[in-house]
DNA sequence: CATGAATGAGACTTCATTCAT
DNA sequence: CATGAATGAAGTCTCATTCAT
């Protein structure tokens, strides 16, 4: 074992234990004593690597965001896009995100579940989605009889729930889940669409 | 004023204070001392009416469920239903639920937000919705290329998020919100539906 | 025992225990657990009456300052004063302060010893003394070949030390100590004064 | 550079850092981790040179005492002394001590401020001064209507305070400060001395 | 019916000190 | 000679809960 490895090892052990516990019991339900116990260390060791309970929580989220952002670059939707490609791109973007989620299921659960985390980022995500929808309302790909904000909220809610239940709990493949999410989001549950009215 | 009024009054004061605080700060973030302070009583009084913090929380939820159930009787969807009526019935059912939610915004927030609460009931709701969907897959009203469970989860997530943001936060009318939810759920976000494939 | 007495009793017990311990071991050397042990209570009880360790410390000092101020009204020295009366007034003022000190020996020790306490007040006292001296330099009662600030500092230091050692430790009477302090302060240690030079 | 230089260097760095910090924040307010950080070393290195926090503190004081003692040899007052010379000798002795203090302001502050330090030595100093005063009460140079112990305490207090404020804080010259201390100590604050009584 | 007073158990955090390398 | 890593013991503060009145 290299010299420089040991400290980082311990820090990682603590981080992983913390991720597990935050995911399972939430921030408040998780005690530092539990974390270090799971990591095989003492309480004092915790403060060698993190300045507080809050700070390890933030570090976990930041690491998660970083990974997320890397993959989110690809998710940018060009403004000029053909109808035929549209659904495919969405499908791919969703799949790409779900793949990261699947690789970090615990962190994902924290991210999607813990109020302390989402609130800040959620607004950003919401705005991004809403303006995207608004744009494609003008390109004619998205129906324009509904409010973009409401649609964005609907998307987010649907996406969160399906991620938690289908991807993380049932452990279905990102591809499958992405397909179904895309289908439902774009075309809804109904077999047939009423003609004419309102679109 | 009846003899028994005073005690019931105090109990109600405590209950209402607790609903406010649980909604605002969550279960763990709410202290008994905060509740009784808001209710104008002492901590000891709390234990005259409730055996523990957990028990008042459950009582709040149960009261909420009761009100919910009364209105949910109407929401049962008959198995034979005409396509034209289908969307309207859903719309009405959703509106009826949102109306109760709107009348009890704090309790609704607790119910939809607090993990401790949903988990038990969520399964029940999920099953109800899923079997409903499954049934209408066979009547041909619901598309059958998607898993009922997944659709149910999507519905629930979308519904929760839109309720929280549009109904409770933006205070939009149950009718409007119900309309939009129904539209999105049934027909999706896309302006046009691809022909043929898979449905 | 009256109903309203018990709480105040406990608070006082804690206060007195704290005064004893702060005087003996200093602020940092005193643990809350020691204080409540001495008061016959548990740690949690401490926080019924004080919001923190720092706050009980401040409360002790404030109570002490209040008593001090009451008696310090009398200590104001009129500007026009006869030489014969001068030393007597100083003597009386010092005696009056020493009497309060004697009545609250523990609090006095905290006040005079603990850095956290004096620093704020010391500046005020210093200014008061210095301007008093300056004034009497012009009335001719105080020698004017020395800096008022330096004399003020000397007075304060002498006063503190003699209070601690002679009044509090040796338990000499305020009257005796006041006499000696006044004598030394005004006329110094030397038997004879050199004629002429420098005054 | 000698072989033994490196270790001694580190030890000195630690010592100096410790002196700075003890002077600034006091014994209890200073952490080993602060000391070694300021010295550019690790905590473990501290224990190569000192067995405990207490021990470095004592070592600092002892070094200070040693320097003090060297210069204090000169301060011994011969028993037979002429009145004219008396004040000058005191002046010189005080100046000589203040000069050492000025050369080691941090250590001086620790010595004069920290309770843990003074108590042991103070008694010695007190005794020396008191017996000196007693002696000169019999030679007639010191007034004999006051207790030598009380006078000694007064001297010490005055001396400490003036050293801290005038010498160390205002950075006045040892000579000036020594002059003023001597003047005040010997002849007091009053412009005129009352005739006759008691001396 | 209600309160004032108190507590047990535990949470987070700090710091001097040690040990293998 | 020096370090990185770890720890034991303690300290401050919080909170749900109890009990005598």
């Amino acid at each position: 074992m290299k010299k420089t490895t040991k400290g980082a090892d311990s820090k990682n052990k603590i981080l992983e234990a913390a991720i597990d516990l935050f995911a399972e019991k939430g921030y408040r339900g998780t005690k530092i004593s539990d974390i270090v116990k799971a990591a095989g260390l003492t309480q004092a060791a915790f403060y060698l690597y993190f300045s507080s309970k809050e700070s390890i929580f933030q570090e976990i989220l930041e690491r998660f965001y970083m990974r997320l952002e890397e993959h989110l670059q690809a998710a940018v939707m060009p403004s000029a896009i053909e109808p035929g490609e549209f659904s495919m791109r969405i499908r791919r973007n969703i799949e790409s995100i779900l793949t990261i989620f699947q690789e970090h299921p615990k962190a994902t659960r924290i991210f999607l579940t813990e109020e302390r985390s989402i609130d800040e980022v959620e607004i950003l995500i919401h705005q991004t989605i809403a303006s995207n929808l608004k744009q494609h309302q003008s390109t004619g790909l998205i129906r324009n009889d509904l409010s973009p904000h409401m649609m964005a909220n609907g998307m987010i809610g649907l996406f969160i729930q399906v991620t938690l239940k289908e991807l993380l709990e049932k452990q279905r493949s990102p591809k499958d889940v992405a397909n179904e999410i895309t289908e439902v989001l774009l075309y809804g549950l109904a077999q047939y669409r009423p003609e004419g009215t309102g679109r």
Side-chain angles (χ1 to χ4, degrees), chain A:
Chain A
M1 213 181 270
K2 289 172 231 155
K3 251 194 175 175
T4 54
T5 302
K6 223 179 148 202
D9 269 11
S10 288
K11 178 166 183 180
N12 280 333
K13 261 187 236 150
I14 293 174
L15 265 174
E16 265 152 47
I19 291 173
D20 282 4
L21 287 161
F22 284 148
E24 187 188 343
K25 309 188 170 186
Y27 179 80
R28 287 197 128 109
T30 300
K31 297 175 261 174
I32 305 232
S33 63
D34 292 343
I35 296 175
V36 293
K37 208 177 294 162
L41 291 167
T42 60
Q43 294 234 66
F46 178 91
Y47 292 91
L48 247 51
Y49 303 105
F50 305 97
S51 61
S52 68
K53 187 183 175 186
E54 179 67 27
S55 92
I56 193 181
F57 185 77
Q58 293 304 334
E59 182 158 341
I60 288 171
L61 285 181
E62 267 151 38
R63 286 172 172 233
F64 183 72
Y65 293 155
M66 278 177 52
R67 293 206 187 89
L68 214 54
E69 267 171 22
E70 292 170 19
H71 291 251
L72 246 50
Q73 311 300 3
V76 182
M77 186 98 51
S79 49
I81 196 169
E82 291 185 28
E85 256 188 293
F86 187 57
S87 101
M88 191 208 60
R89 290 198 83 109
I90 292 181
R91 205 180 313 267
R92 289 226 185 109
N93 287 342
I94 290 182
E95 184 183 340
S96 130
I97 294 173
L98 291 180
T99 305
I100 320 170
F101 282 4
Q102 185 193 238
E103 284 162 10
H104 307 284
K106 299 291 175 64
T108 299
R109 177 168 291 281
I110 296 170
F111 171 62
L112 295 181
T113 291
E114 199 73 30
E115 271 190 293
R116 321 169 61 81
S117 84
I118 303 200
D119 280 8
E120 322 155 19
V121 189
E122 201 176 270
I123 294 173
L124 177 65
I125 295 177
H126 178 100
Q127 295 299 348
T128 309
I129 294 178
S131 72
N132 226 306
L133 290 171
K134 212 176 293 181
Q135 187 203 328
H136 284 291
Q137 282 183 324
S138 58
T139 68
L141 290 172
I142 293 294
R143 58 194 290 194
N144 48 31
D145 59 335
L146 298 177
S147 137
H149 286 295
M150 181 273 173
M151 289 189 281
N153 279 326
M155 277 184 70
I156 291 174
L158 183 149
F159 187 76
I160 291 176
Q161 192 80 354
V162 173
T163 299
L164 290 174
K165 302 292 177 182
E166 306 287 322
L167 185 81
L168 300 188
E169 280 178 25
K170 292 196 195 153
Q171 309 216 35
R172 294 176 55 195
S173 77
K175 184 164 191 158
D176 277 11
V177 177
N179 278 343
E180 296 210 342
I181 287 181
T182 312
E183 277 300 313
V184 165
L185 275 178
L186 287 182
Y187 313 119
L189 304 172
Q191 177 81 296
Y192 300 111
R193 219 169 184 177
E195 291 105 40
T197 53
R199 341 257 306 229

